Amino acid sequence: MGRGLDGLATRCVCRVSKRVLFGRSSKRRQRPVTGRWGSRGSAAVTIAARLTFDNVARRFGSVHALRGINLDMAPGEIVCLLGPSGCGKTTLLRLTAGLERPTGGRILINDVVVGGQQVHVAPERRGVGLMFQDFALFPHLTLLENAAFGLKSLSRDDARKVANLALERVGLAKYADEYPHILSGGEQQRVALARAIAPRPGVLMMDEPFSGLDTRLRNEMREETLTILRETNATCMIVTHDSEEAMQMGNRIALMREGLLVQTGTAEELYHAPVNIHAARMFSDMNEFLVVVRGGKVDTPFGTCAAKGLSIGSEALACVRQRDVQIAAPGRGREGRVLNTRFLGETALMEIGVEGLEEPILARVREAQAKQPGTEVGVRVNVKDILVFAVPADG
Ligand code: ATP
């Protein structure tokens, strides 16, 4: 989890230089601070920045939190950083914001090195905004003061105007003079978003920004945030544990594991062509069968399929997504008996004992197709739906 909005992080979020507010030094781009937000509260456009990670590494003593990250984010792109706890997501965000220094490699913004072993541009000079999962509004400041906190380089009046427009954009301008405690969790999240976008950072880093919200609010906030991000055009990295969130929000997903980028691509690419078993498990619940590679193929309980790149005689995992298990009439496919059925609303999860298999398999079917425990069924899987991977060292 993120380490929260400590003092340093707060300053980083908030003390964004005038150069960032107005875009890079080009005079042509400078416009008055006021009037850049539409009258109905649309967000102002940021000068989006290219963000590049060039073999970035970070060690903490013997812990290799990042082992050589290479990633190039186009201006305005939204990349979701997805991976299990401890894989290095927050560390990458902190390095980008300048709260930590890399022990190897370089971080570049618009092709200028901002973080490396020899170079360390101060957080407040990077134009990188941060929003943490615990979004920590200042309880003793009004919403307007909270939203204006990162606008120290503006005159008081201009800062208030910009902050007010940011609050307007998230639909909370009417509470500008109230204090955070009167707001619901979702509303507080909106204020945090207003605070993060008010300085118009070229790069915005969000660390599990929706994890503190309940499911319904989370969905609303994801959509709302996407709209605002598209309007502001900031280059954005969103850290999440949640593959659905990553698919919903990211132009691309960068999948991490143990300090490395495992796979980067669109949601479709990662879902349909996962590079290894970890990537596949991240996106789908699967049935896994231990098999042995013979002549470039594996025999699975549901047919023979290719095992590209795996050495003859090695063990492999043949995987079938729960939703790819087909339930047929008895006599068609393998013989099975329903052991348990759990209704999950629109779908149901059936546990089925299959003749010849030691472990039951799990099938996710539409609710109307679910069968009661004890029902005899046929179980089939299309061979093209079977994924084959090397057995990972850690199982
Ligand atoms: P989570 O999803 O749980 O937030 P994460 O993917 O963000 O995890 P990080 O917080 O980046 O992971 O941590 C990566 C590794 O680096 C972990 O093993 C963590 O314990 C270690 N680590 C991070 N910061 C420090 C630090 N300041 N000192 C020592 N170890 C650290």
Side-chain angles (χ1 to χ4, degrees):
M1 301 290 161
R3 271 164 292 285
L5 196 60
D6 55 26
L8 185 52
T10 304
R11 284 197 294 280
C12 171
V13 173
C14 302
R15 270 200 220 147
V16 179
S17 68
K18 209 162 198 161
R19 192 160 129 241
V20 172
L21 287 166
F22 290 115
R24 299 217 157 252
S25 55
S26 157
K27 284 201 166 130
R28 234 165 29 88
R29 288 181 184 153
Q30 293 192 12
R31 276 172 277 168
V33 176
T34 52
R36 292 183 75 189
W37 297 67
S39 57
R40 289 204 305 255
S42 64
V45 174
T46 288
I47 312 281
R50 173 174 295 281
L51 175 61
T52 310
F53 299 96
D54 176 19
N55 206 23
V56 173
R58 173 71 213 203
R59 219 168 0 91
F60 296 102
S62 60
V63 177
H64 290 264
L66 299 172
R67 297 164 184 267
I69 300 291
N70 290 297
L71 181 66
D72 193 27
M73 290 172 62
E77 189 179 22
I78 301 174
V79 169
C80 284
L81 198 56
L82 178 67
S85 190
C87 70
K89 305 181 294 295
T90 300
T91 301
L92 193 62
L93 256 60
R94 291 173 65 84
L95 290 181
T96 309
L99 305 179
E100 308 267 5
R101 289 167 180 248
T103 47
R106 305 178 307 162
I107 298 170
L108 299 90
I109 295 180
N110 284 334
D111 301 323
V112 175
V113 179
V114 293
Q117 281 163 292
Q118 315 299 334
V119 180
H120 183 76
V121 175
E124 65 273 17
R125 294 176 53 83
R126 292 191 182 195
V128 175
L130 275 174
M131 183 171 158
F132 285 103
Q133 63 187 160
D134 54 2
F135 52 84
L137 298 179
F138 303 109
H140 58 290
L141 299 183
T142 64
L143 302 195
L144 189 70
E145 288 162 346
N146 265 285
F149 196 82
L151 303 169
K152 299 269 194 276
S153 59
L154 301 184
S155 70
R156 194 162 178 271
D157 277 356
D158 279 346
R160 288 178 74 85
K161 279 179 197 152
V162 170
N164 199 52
L165 288 163
L167 285 178
E168 206 172 279
R169 178 59 196 89
V170 298
L172 289 171
K174 57 180 182 265
Y175 299 126
D177 296 323
E178 303 284 353
Y179 288 84
H181 70 270
I182 68 150
L183 300 180
S184 69
E187 288 167 337
Q188 291 194 24
Q189 184 80 349
R190 284 195 166 88
V191 178
L193 183 58
R195 182 174 65 183
I197 61 169
R200 292 166 219 153
V203 173
L204 184 58
M205 314 298 275
M206 304 175 96
D207 196 353
E208 300 194 43
F210 315 111
S211 59
L213 305 177
D214 66 43
T215 313
R216 191 184 54 81
L217 258 182
R218 201 179 306 151
N219 286 336
E220 268 177 31
M221 275 306 293
R222 283 178 192 162
E223 284 303 323
E224 175 75 352
T225 303
L226 264 185
T227 308
I228 292 174
L229 289 178
R230 286 192 195 114
E231 280 176 16
T232 59
N233 198 35
T235 309
C236 184
M237 183 171 263
I238 304 174
V239 162
T240 178
H241 280 110
D242 181 340
S243 56
E244 207 176 295
E245 183 166 291
M247 291 199 269
Q248 184 180 350
M249 299 205 67
N251 300 120
R252 280 190 298 159
I253 298 171
L255 188 59
M256 280 186 74
R257 187 175 167 80
E258 294 175 355
L260 287 169
L261 273 185
V262 176
Q263 189 172 7
T264 307
T266 62
E268 288 85 353
E269 285 164 352
L270 268 71
Y271 183 83
H272 290 298
V275 291
N276 63 22
I277 183 76
H278 298 301
R281 283 176 184 156
M282 207 74 208
F283 290 93
S284 310
D285 293 320
M286 302 187 299
N287 297 282
E288 298 178 12
F289 308 97
L290 193 61
V291 291
V292 177
V293 181
R294 297 190 204 289
K297 296 189 170 168
V298 289
D299 288 325
T300 81
F302 297 99
T304 300
C305 50
K308 275 194 213 146
L310 299 180
S311 42
I312 295 174
S314 68
E315 288 191 324
L317 289 171
C319 305
V320 177
R321 294 186 175 103
Q322 292 175 358
R323 61 147 222 194
D324 289 333
V325 176
Q326 299 168 17
I327 307 303
R332 310 186 72 174
R334 292 188 78 123
E335 273 177 44
R337 169 178 294 204
V338 179
L339 304 176
N340 203 350
T341 298
R342 227 178 308 147
F343 289 94
L344 304 170
E346 287 170 12
T347 62
L349 191 60
M350 292 164 59
E351 189 184 2
I352 304 168
V354 176
E355 183 248 326
L357 297 185
E358 281 176 21
E359 301 280 331
I361 68 166
L362 291 171
R364 189 176 288 265
V365 298
R366 288 212 301 277
E367 192 258 342
Q369 293 175 327
K371 310 277 185 227
Q372 292 301 324
T375 310
E376 305 285 337
V377 292
V379 180
R380 299 196 301 191
V381 173
N382 210 324
V383 170
K384 75 169 177 43
D385 292 330
I386 302 175
L387 304 167
V388 182
F389 300 108
V391 178
D394 56 359

